[in-house]
Amino acid sequence: MRSLLFMMMIALLVGCGSSGPARPALNPVKGKVTLGTGVPLAFGTIAFEPAGGRAFRCSGKIGPDGTFELETGSEKGATAGKYSVSVILPPNKRKSVPKKYQSDEISGGEVEVISGDNDLDIKLK
């Protein structure tokens, strides 16, 4: 019985090791999304898709005043680098935003997140 308990403890400890390479540091990213008319976009989610094959996508809910704060997974911030920008909208609001911003593949918008604090203005024209 003791040997079984010992084997179970060893298996548990071995299973608690690292699950892969560490993610680079996250940088605070906040900003505001406006339409071409200068009016804040008051709904939806902004998504940043990494350029160049990096693996950490991030997104943030757009508030009623057009502001957002990015999260990577459940943590605030984004890794430094270039991203294409898209907006995810509820089906009944899609006509409010130019179509080119509604898909990662055709967004046309690109931003760069730098190390440190980032305050971005995203203008959807």
Side-chain angles (χ1 to χ4, degrees):
M1 182 72 171
R2 278 189 172 174
S3 62
L4 178 61
L5 183 59
F6 179 75
M7 294 292 279
M8 289 173 57
M9 287 176 58
I10 294 295
L12 181 62
L13 290 173
V14 169
C16 291
S18 174
S19 63
R23 177 181 61 214
L26 296 180
N27 303 285
V29 181
K30 64 179 182 168
K32 188 170 190 174
V33 182
T34 55
L35 299 171
T37 59
V39 175
L41 181 64
F43 48 81
T45 299
I46 190 159
F48 282 39
E49 185 68 34
R54 291 182 18 255
F56 303 108
R57 184 176 194 191
C58 49
S59 62
K61 185 169 175 58
I62 301 169
D65 59 353
T67 60
F68 66 89
E69 188 171 1
L70 291 183
E71 293 184 353
T72 300
S74 62
E75 296 181 59
K76 292 186 180 205
T79 56
K82 292 185 179 184
Y83 294 83
S84 62
V85 179
S86 62
V87 177
I88 302 163
L89 302 169
N92 63 336
K93 301 283 188 174
R94 291 200 175 133
K95 291 183 181 178
S96 306
V97 175
K99 201 171 200 125
K100 71 178 182 176
Y101 291 102
Q102 296 182 33
S103 167
D104 295 336
E105 292 79 31
I106 59 170
S107 74
E110 187 172 278
V111 298
E112 184 169 5
V113 172
I114 59 171
S115 294
D117 291 344
N118 294 264
D119 193 1
L120 305 174
D121 286 321
I122 309 295
K123 294 179 170 89
L124 306 179
K125 298 178 184 180

